[in-house]
Amino acid sequence: MKSIFGTDGVRGIVNEELTPKLALDLCMSLGTFLSGGTVAIGRDTRISGEMFKNAAISGLLATGCKVVDVGIAPTPAIHYYVRDATDAGIIITASHNPREYNGLKFVAGDGIGFSREAERKVEQIYAEKKFRHVEWDETGALSTDDVIQRYKDGIKKLVNVEKIRKMNFKVVVDTGCGAGGVVTPSLLRELGCTVITLNAQLDGTFPKRPPEPTGEVLGDLIALVQRSGADLGVAHDGDADRVVFVDEHGSFVNEDVLLAICAKDALQERKGVIVTPVSSSLCVKDVVEQCGGELVWTPIGSIHVARKMMELGAVFGGEGNGGLIFPKHQYCRDGAMAVAKILEMLCEKKMSQLVDEIPRYYNVKDKVKVLDKEGVMEKVLGVVKGNVDITDGVKIWHDDGWVLIRASGTEPIIRIYAESKSEERANELAQDGIKLIEQVS
Ligand code: MG
């Protein structure tokens, strides 16, 4: 059976791949899997969010689950609520994907995304359509709750609020018309910042920029940071689990560098384990070694990182895409928590200084179209030599860098990631990876 779950839940183009019927059946499957209990449901700002939410609620109620509708909220605010208050959660979001997409993501009762095993069980029920239909007087009840203030209060407990407030930072925040608009601007004000908002209106057409906050689409934010003389620029993806920053000069902060900055900060507070996917930069490895920590690599995907962090009692973890996990708060990517943490660091140093302290590397990403990606990957594994890591795909370590060859989860392509101290060498390593694929196909 082909999996309907991708790396981060079920995603698709609205009313083509992802229909209300699919949402209904999937949530009946979830309700059957849970056989009762309470499920929180929330969403980002996408136009189809209300449609999918209502289908999902119907499916859950029919199986006897109670449902708490928490409205529009950032993904991490819903995780936080689920961990403390319900048996599971559903988030209607397509995160950073383009406007025409939406998706459903399941959260387990411990506040972490569903494991692959749990997803497979739900999928099995979905395929067999053996749903739990409760008696007429046992269908679930629907209530509402507010998750926003609870989430912000949780964040403020973990940073030095008084110290941050005294700094009177000026911050420009671009929530991209996504769910971050209901949390980050007001959190910043509560932390004593002068806040300039950009795209803070909730609008699922994402009229000003795509939901993915890459450096290329943040021109307005960069210009406003420069013009206003702000200390920091902040931008979220559509569901605000990810965050990226712009320094006080208006330079976009590379996401791998951001990951290293946060790892360093965590290790300076307490020595321990840092967890990150095999695709992350060597700058993270360098920083962890400098600070006397231990680095653990995982497969790509934030759920792998979160579950490994919990298992090892890690002090910090995250991905090189602005997905940062602070275990004292919770085990999921936590955009607004990262904002508060960075402000705390800015009490000591400017953003550009924090960036300058991290070693620089060059990264190259490429891809090759292949029909039989699994077959090709198997052959690649058969011919590679040297220091090889197979945590996820095939990663070949060299003295001066690495190349990772990995099949895409959703498309008929193989991705190549390479990194080195020089741009030329990084390109060379990526070319080696491409040649290897061509050689075996
Ligand atoms: Mg996201």
Side-chain angles (χ1 to χ4, degrees):
M1 186 179 73
K2 193 176 168 290
S3 177
I4 51 172
F5 288 92
T7 28
D8 220 351
V10 179
R11 297 252 175 99
I13 296 173
V14 172
N15 274 350
E16 285 179 29
E17 295 151 340
L18 188 67
T19 61
K21 175 84 168 72
L22 193 155
L24 175 75
D25 283 358
L26 199 59
C27 292
M28 289 209 68
S29 310
L30 175 68
T32 304
F33 170 75
L34 296 168
S35 55
T38 306
V39 181
I41 187 162
R43 67 179 185 95
D44 65 15
T45 57
R46 285 170 195 269
I47 299 292
S48 57
E50 211 44 38
M51 171 177 89
F52 287 119
K53 190 179 78 179
N54 284 292
I57 290 172
S58 292
L60 290 164
L61 297 178
T63 60
C65 289
K66 295 191 193 80
V67 179
V68 185
D69 179 1
V70 303
I72 292 176
T75 288
I78 301 168
H79 278 262
Y80 195 70
Y81 181 78
V82 169
R83 185 193 64 187
D84 293 346
T86 65
D87 302 300
I90 298 176
I91 306 168
I92 311 287
T93 176
S95 187
H96 59 278
N97 284 145
R99 326 172 148 82
E100 61 272 25
Y101 283 78
N102 212 335
L104 282 85
K105 199 179 123 169
F106 293 165
V107 182
D110 59 6
I112 308 185
F114 258 45
S115 66
R116 286 283 167 271
E117 296 73 56
E119 282 181 350
R120 246 174 246 129
K121 282 179 193 161
V122 172
E123 241 165 18
Q124 194 67 39
I125 299 166
Y126 176 83
E128 290 169 357
K129 300 269 186 289
K130 281 186 191 153
F131 301 135
R132 180 178 197 243
H133 288 278
V134 296
E135 294 293 323
W136 65 271
D137 56 350
E138 288 170 357
T139 58
L142 177 64
S143 60
T144 58
D145 207 351
D146 170 53
V147 299
I148 304 302
Q149 196 57 47
R150 178 194 286 249
Y151 176 57
K152 288 194 290 186
D153 289 346
I155 291 170
K156 285 189 286 179
K157 272 187 209 140
L158 293 174
V159 293
N160 190 333
V161 174
E162 279 321 300
K163 203 171 164 189
I164 296 171
R165 288 187 66 92
K166 278 195 193 118
M167 300 296 291
N168 295 120
F169 290 120
K170 186 188 273 187
V171 182
V172 186
V173 55
D174 176 357
T175 49
C177 299
V182 300
V183 163
T184 304
S186 61
L187 173 70
L188 286 166
R189 284 186 197 103
E190 289 167 32
L191 291 171
C193 300
T194 301
V195 183
I196 304 170
T197 57
L198 198 56
N199 307 321
Q201 73 277 25
L202 308 179
D203 185 343
T205 66
F206 302 106
K208 292 295 182 185
R209 68 160 171 91
E212 173 136 50
T214 56
E216 297 79 58
V217 301
L218 297 178
D220 289 349
L221 173 67
I222 287 166
L224 201 46
V225 166
Q226 288 170 333
R227 224 183 313 143
S228 64
D231 300 288
L232 186 69
V234 175
H236 287 300
D237 71 332
D239 63 331
D241 57 346
R242 282 165 49 185
V243 63
V244 295
F245 296 94
V246 169
D247 76 9
E248 74 280 8
H249 304 305
S251 297
F252 181 77
V253 178
N254 174 283
E255 296 96 327
D256 271 307
V257 170
L258 172 65
L259 180 64
I261 289 171
C262 294
K264 188 174 171 182
D265 182 69
L267 288 171
Q268 280 168 348
E269 199 187 306
R270 187 161 74 86
K271 299 260 175 296
V273 174
I274 303 288
V275 179
T276 198
V278 287
S279 53
S280 293
S281 168
L282 284 168
C283 69
V284 179
K285 185 169 177 274
D286 289 351
V287 160
V288 172
E289 281 167 5
Q290 274 167 23
C291 298
E294 187 197 337
L295 186 62
V296 173
W297 305 101
T298 68
I300 293 171
S302 68
I303 294 166
H304 293 296
V305 177
R307 295 218 166 264
K308 185 56 85 178
M309 286 177 68
M310 194 181 231
E311 182 194 322
L312 300 176
V315 294
F316 175 75
E319 310 168 301
N321 61 5
L324 307 167
I325 304 174
F326 301 87
K328 276 191 190 164
H329 193 223
Q330 58 177 342
Y331 290 94
C332 75
R333 291 183 292 209
D334 213 343
M337 181 72 234
V339 174
K341 269 296 194 194
I342 289 289
L343 287 180
E344 201 175 48
M345 292 179 222
L346 292 191
C347 295
E348 311 296 333
K349 284 170 187 170
K350 292 196 178 301
M351 193 70 215
S352 63
Q353 283 175 285
L354 293 170
V355 171
D356 285 344
E357 289 172 3
I358 304 299
R360 287 316 305 264
Y361 286 89
Y362 289 90
N363 292 77
V364 178
K365 281 181 193 171
D366 213 328
K367 57 188 174 190
V368 177
K369 268 201 174 159
V370 285
L371 289 175
D372 174 23
K373 58 188 177 190
E374 281 84 15
V376 170
M377 285 307 297
E378 224 164 89
K379 284 183 196 158
V380 166
L381 190 57
V383 298
V384 285
K385 290 188 275 298
N387 188 357
V388 176
D389 180 321
I390 53 160
T391 303
D392 193 353
V394 176
K395 186 175 184 178
I396 308 154
W397 285 98
H398 296 267
D399 291 339
D400 57 351
W402 52 267
V403 55
L404 170 65
I405 302 167
R406 179 180 182 266
S408 158
T410 47
E411 297 165 80
I413 56 174
I414 292 181
R415 295 185 195 280
I416 297 109
Y417 309 74
E419 181 177 54
S420 186
K421 273 274 180 198
S422 84
E423 200 170 1
E424 195 191 345
R425 179 63 179 145
N427 276 314
E428 204 175 278
L429 287 168
Q431 282 309 312
D432 286 354
I434 292 170
K435 272 184 224 149
L436 197 58
I437 295 165
E438 285 166 352
Q439 185 192 322
V440 299
S441 355

